[in-house]
Amino acid sequence: MKPLLRWIGLLIAAFLALQLFFVARIALMLVVHPESTTFQRSEAWRLAREHGELRWRQQWVPYAQISDNLKRAVIASEDDDFVNHDGVEWEAIEKAWQKNAKAEELAARRALQARPSKKPPKIVGGSTISQQLAKNLFLSGERTLLRKGQEFVLTMLLEHILGKQRILEIYLNSVEWGEGVFGAEAAAQHYYRKPASRLTAYEAARLAVMLPRPKYFEKVPRSGYLSSRASTIVARMRDAELP
């Protein structure tokens, strides 16, 4: 019994030490811009391995130098209650869970009927901007309950230590917008040959719509969905509240 209790104690101590490490890392981000995220480092390794060179675009710009159009577009598209929630939208997560369960059930039914779909079931996310940042900064892309639990803890830490404006600033400077394209400034230069501070409402909306599948939309810039969805986001931007 004693060895078991000792192991449990060590696991708890290790967990607490890891959380203190995360607290220190996040607190440092109050004054120091993160040089890279876990997701970026993973992508850098993949790009270097596949292409034999590192194709990378990223340039940090302060919050004030990012167009309000882009801030509003991203909030309207990704997380329209960003300034009000505590980091997690539980209702959105529940809805996403239900949709994913139905998609997986349909795929399993088709497999039993020997009519498997060529495409895997579409997984719907319910993550807020804060959750996306927590995952990109520190975590892997695996889908487990343990990783999701750690994501929730990190999200709360980000919300309470950094606050909304700093979260949005780091997110817009680090999120992926194409193959080796990270951050608002790199995206604005890559797609529109202009700084992020000068993006129009429609340009910003198109960039926001790209976020769930940036590599795909980079290859199909004339996508009808991209254009129509961007127009919808433009109409919603006026109601997007900025931190």
Side-chain angles (χ1 to χ4, degrees), residues 4 11 24 26 47 56 66 94 103 134 139 194 227 242:
L4 177 60
L11 287 174
I26 293 170
L47 290 170
W56 196 268
I66 301 174
E94 183 179 358
L139 303 174
K194 63 168 63 174
S227 298
L242 298 182

Side-chain angles (χ1 to χ4, degrees), residues 132-144:
Q132 292 177 47
L133 181 61
K135 179 179 67 176
N136 289 343
L137 279 171
F138 300 113
L139 303 174
S140 68
E142 64 179 346
R143 293 176 177 272
T144 65

Side-chain angles (χ1 to χ4, degrees), residues 44-231:
W45 172 249
R46 183 188 66 80
L47 290 170
R49 188 176 67 250
E50 292 180 2
H51 301 289
E53 60 178 335
L54 184 55
R55 302 174 183 176
W56 196 268
R57 295 187 182 193
Q58 185 179 21
Q59 179 184 343
W60 185 282
V61 289
Y63 185 83
Q65 293 181 24
I66 301 174
S67 168
D68 282 353
N69 285 326
L70 185 60
K71 297 168 192 171
R72 293 183 189 280
V74 168
I75 289 173
S77 178
E78 294 287 289
D79 186 0
D80 59 5
D81 201 34
F82 173 65
V83 299
N84 297 313
H85 61 60
D86 61 359
V88 179
E89 284 276 53
W90 299 106
E91 186 176 342
I93 291 175
E94 183 179 358
K95 288 180 179 178
W97 188 288
Q98 292 172 351
K99 287 183 179 179
N100 293 337
K102 288 180 180 178
E104 290 173 356
E105 182 182 350
L106 179 61
R109 198 179 304 140
R110 285 177 174 172
L112 289 174
Q113 296 173 352
R115 296 189 296 110
S117 173
K118 294 181 180 179
K119 296 181 179 181
K122 182 179 179 181
I123 302 300
V124 179
S127 297
T128 63
I129 287 173
S130 301
Q131 285 177 266
Q132 292 177 47
L133 181 61
K135 179 179 67 176
N136 289 343
L137 279 171
F138 300 113
L139 303 174
S140 68
E142 64 179 346
R143 293 176 177 272
T144 65
L145 288 177
L146 182 62
R147 192 207 64 80
K148 198 65 177 178
Q150 181 65 80
E151 179 187 302
F152 289 151
V153 172
L154 289 169
T155 298
M156 297 305 168
L157 291 174
L158 288 172
E159 288 275 336
H160 287 89
I161 296 174
L162 299 184
K164 297 290 186 179
Q165 187 175 114
R166 183 59 169 164
I167 286 172
L168 186 58
E169 180 183 31
I170 295 175
Y171 178 83
L172 291 175
N173 273 288
S174 60
V175 73
E176 182 186 39
W177 253 301
E179 184 89 335
V181 181
F182 290 90
E185 185 68 16
Q189 295 289 351
H190 180 58
Y191 294 107
Y192 300 113
R193 302 293 187 266
K194 63 168 63 174
S197 61
R198 292 173 48 204
L199 288 169
T200 67
Y202 185 71
E203 290 167 347
R206 283 180 66 91
L207 288 178
V209 174
M210 291 179 66
L211 283 176
R213 304 172 67 192
K215 295 189 186 76
Y216 170 79
F217 286 119
E218 183 182 25
K219 295 176 182 177
V220 289
R222 299 181 185 277
S223 163
Y225 170 82
L226 187 60
S227 298
S228 63
R229 179 62 177 166
S231 297

